[in-house]
Structure formats: C-alpha cells, structure tokens
Amino acid sequence: MTTRILPTVGDPDAARSITTLLSQLPDTEPVAPVVDSTQLIDTLARLAAESVDELPEIVVVHERIGPVPALELIREVALRFPAVGVILITSDASPGLFSAAMDSGARGLVALPLSYEELVSRVQAVAQWSVGVRRHLGHGGDVFTGAGGRVVTVSGAKGGVGATLTAIQLALAAQASGRGTALVDMDLQSGDVASFLDVQFRRSVVDLAAITDISPRVLADAIFRHDSGLALLLAPGEGERGEEVTDRAARQIVSALRSRYEIVVLDCGAQMSGASAAAVEMADTALLLTTPDVVAVRAAKRTVRMWDRLQIRKAEETTVVVNRHTRSTEIQPPLIHKITGTPVAATAIPAGFKELQGAVDAGRIHELESKSTVKQALWGLAGELGIVKAPEGDRKGGRLRGDRGSVSFRRRREAGG
C-alpha cells in the first residue's frame, strides 16, 4: 500500500528538501506541499468532502508554519480529521515539546536536520496507525470524520451597527431550516446575545477557556439550550473575564463546535480581541456589518485593512453587509464595495426601528413577527449565504418550515423604517 504524505512547509527551500527526502522513502507518495495553515485546512476539507479515503494518510507540519502556530494547527487537524496522522518536524526535540506535540494530537515528531532512518521509522508507524483508524471507521465507527460544520462570523464595523441582531437571526434561520446550529457570543466584554434572547445563565465561553481537550460532555455542560432550539454559548457576565479566552482557546472552542454542529454562528462584536480575530480567521464566511453612513463605512474600511495587515482575513474573503439601508441615502452598496474593496451582500437590510423596538426591549428578538421587513431580509441573507436548506418539495418558494411566509431566497423589496 502506498502512503500519501502532505507536507506543510512555508519556506520554499525547506519544502524542496523535505519533499525530496519523503520521495525517497519506500511505498510513499508525497503530494504537492501546501504553504500555510489556511491552505492545509482548506485542502483537507475539500478532500474530506469527497471521501475519507481521499485524505492523505500523513500530514507533515514544519515548526515554522503560519499564520496559525504549528501546535495549534496540529490540534485542529487532529480534531477535524482524525483519520489523518500528523508528524511535526522541529529543531527542538526536547521532552517538553514532544509532550506538547503529543497533547496536541501529533502522532510523531522528527528532529531537524532530518535523518532518513528516523523519518522512515516515524512514517511507517504513523501510516499503520492511520490505516487502523480508517479500518475502524469503515466498520461503523462514530468518530467524526467530515470537514466539519460551517462557521460564520458576524463583526461590526463599529458599535451599534446591528451585528448581534444579524447573528441571532442568521442562526435562527439556519435552525428553522433543520440544521443543528450553535450561536456563540464572542463579544467577550460586552456581549448582548443573552439580553436579546432574555436568557439567564451561569456558564459561558470562559468555562471552556482553560480546557485543553473539549469533550462532547464538557461542551454540552457549557451550552445553554434555547427554546428556539439554538445551542447558545454565551459571553461571560463579568466582562473582565473575557481576557481569559485567548486566541488558542478560541480556536479549540470553534473547532469543537464545528465538529458537532452543522452551522456555527459567532457574534464577534466591533472590538477585536485575540479570540475574535482567531474566529474570523477560521471562519468559512466572515461578515462585516456596516450602516450606510460616512463614519461606519470608514470604520469598515479600517477593519478590512487591519484584518489584511494582520493576515487575519483578505479583503476579497470578507463580505460586507449593509444594515439600515434606505433608497434615499447617498451611500449605496456599490459605493461601499468601491470604498472597502470587499464583496457586498446582495441582500441589504432595511431600516426598521419601529418594528424592532418592542422585541428588543422585551428580550424576545426570536419572536420577531414574520411580516417584519428586517426579519425577511435577514433570513433572505441566510439563504443568499447558503446556511439554510430548503425543505424537500418547497425549493421553488424557498421558505423555511416553521416560519411560513417569512423567508425568501430572492432579494426582498427594500423598505424604509
């Protein structure tokens, strides 16, 4: 049997050296190397969507890979693609790093400079392990092997532009369409998801921050099950505790949620932290909310540029959503697209202060009336983004079961509020 090996190396010279040595190993087939953590996850997700058998048996990760650090990348691969064995290549072969690599999910560690004998030994051992795991999965094992659920982040260009309302309604639309959905309040210091949904809670995302292995039971203990069916992971009641959620903790939490829910929606607020930045970087879809005014659009442009400078998100991979849109405003979506350099969602959310006021004040935003133009637009946006699924036999109208008449996948007529 030929063992497929996917090298993950950022430096071109190191990539050539490692690939050349791997090609000399018996019964191995190194594939074209990937150059960063994002490309690795995207490649594995694409292959896993076809079949577990399409995945390489081994991924080799170089210690200086980026932008996600090597150990965090190994942890994510181990969680999302457990049939893939990971080998870390590092110049530090100390017992401490070996232990940390094993805790992260690596199946082996090879020291630099590379030794042919050591590499052969590690590759053969990890290949046997990978084959055993796949044999188990082929006989009805319940280990999660798919590419994972879809992660959608909702960020605000500045405070008060409607990120929380948007995140909640997108999650409700996905849940109503029959998809298991988690809603996470990643606005750690001033999150309002609990207030919008009138939720009293004790546990929060902070309770998962110090846990290195988030099991299904541990995750379930931190989740609040809302009447709507949404799984809620809320921000801490004490805002200062938000600092306990590091970027590393956020990656583990998002990966754990992705492995257990079809749709994961995160309200990241308007203030960027290490945790929210990590979430945006990991997201399949990153939304940036703005209103059609000069201050908000300038803030959106600053945010897009900052994400690009920090290698969090490229402009072309960010979707701007225009909230409180009216036909009379001078700043229209095409101009926002030109200013920010990002795609702009075709669905603009109309201004509707009066129809929202009662539901917001009562903390019952999940009971917003179906005739609400804001709700119709937000659920239409969910359809545009592809995070809802239409019931069989009702694809023509695009409506979601349980909220008759409130959803259309077509762009709704814009309305003022």
Side-chain angles (χ1 to χ4, degrees), residues 193-200 226 362-364 366:
V193 169
S195 297
F196 272 67
L197 297 175
D198 192 25
V199 171
Q200 302 295 324
H226 190 256
R364 310 292 291 178
H366 53 291

Side-chain angles (χ1 to χ4, degrees), residues 52 55 81-84 130-145:
V52 175
L55 289 167
F81 312 100
V84 176
S130 178
V131 170
V133 170
R134 295 175 194 221
R135 186 179 300 115
H136 166 70
L137 294 176
H139 288 81
D142 59 357
V143 180
F144 180 83
T145 60

Side-chain angles (χ1 to χ4, degrees), residues 239-258:
E240 66 275 12
R241 294 199 65 196
E243 296 180 358
E244 299 176 30
V245 185
T246 64
D247 55 343
R248 179 178 180 180
R251 292 182 192 282
Q252 294 181 85
I253 292 166
V254 172
S255 294
L257 289 164
R258 190 202 293 267

Side-chain angles (χ1 to χ4, degrees), residues 126-364:
V126 176
Q128 291 176 2
W129 172 87
S130 178
V131 170
V133 170
R134 295 175 194 221
R135 186 179 300 115
H136 166 70
L137 294 176
H139 288 81
D142 59 357
V143 180
F144 180 83
T145 60
R150 184 171 175 189
V151 174
V152 179
T153 57
V154 183
S155 305
K158 68 180 193 66
V161 296
T164 299
L165 174 65
T166 299
I168 291 172
Q169 289 297 329
L170 290 178
L172 288 169
Q175 180 69 32
S177 75
R179 287 187 161 167
T181 305
L183 173 62
V184 184
D185 197 340
M186 198 59 80
D187 188 359
L188 298 172
Q189 292 187 343
S190 54
D192 286 324
V193 169
S195 297
F196 272 67
L197 297 175
D198 192 25
V199 171
Q200 302 295 324
F201 66 97
R202 295 195 312 270
R203 295 189 179 277
S204 73
V205 65
V206 171
D207 293 294
L208 300 176
I211 300 174
T212 57
D213 184 14
I214 303 175
S215 66
R217 177 169 301 210
V218 168
L219 185 62
D221 286 343
I223 291 289
F224 180 91
R225 184 64 63 176
H226 190 256
D227 293 343
S228 63
L230 288 178
L232 303 181
L233 186 55
L234 301 164
E238 305 82 16
E240 66 275 12
R241 294 199 65 196
E243 296 180 358
E244 299 176 30
V245 185
T246 64
D247 55 343
R248 179 178 180 180
R251 292 182 192 282
Q252 294 181 85
I253 292 166
V254 172
S255 294
L257 289 164
R258 190 202 293 267
S259 70
R260 292 169 178 86
Y261 294 94
E262 290 183 79
I263 302 294
V264 180
V265 180
L266 296 100
D267 174 12
C268 292
Q271 297 298 319
M272 191 183 76
S273 63
S276 62
V280 171
E281 182 186 330
M282 294 178 70
D284 299 291
T285 302
L287 304 181
L288 181 62
L289 266 287
T290 186
T291 47
D293 57 86
V294 172
V295 174
V297 173
R298 283 179 175 172
K301 182 179 179 180
R302 287 197 304 271
T303 299
V304 169
R305 288 184 171 182
M306 177 175 63
W307 285 358
D308 188 59
R309 287 195 306 272
L310 298 178
Q311 297 185 349
I312 295 170
R313 198 93 186 174
K314 295 179 181 179
E316 59 268 26
E317 297 173 348
T318 301
T319 301
V320 167
V321 177
V322 182
N323 191 22
R324 300 175 196 148
H325 175 261
T326 64
R327 293 179 177 177
S328 60
T329 185
E330 293 185 10
I331 301 178
Q332 293 292 324
L335 179 59
I336 295 174
H337 164 67
K338 183 177 180 180
I339 293 172
T340 61
T342 67
V344 175
T347 305
I349 315 305
F353 297 100
K354 293 181 180 179
E355 64 187 49
L356 293 174
Q357 191 69 53
V360 172
D361 289 345
R364 310 292 291 178

Side-chain angles (χ1 to χ4, degrees), residues 71 74-75 78-79 84-86 99-108 129:
L71 293 182
I74 290 170
R75 187 184 300 277
L79 179 63
V84 176
V86 184
S99 177
M102 296 304 106
D103 288 343
S104 296
R107 303 304 307 178
W129 172 87

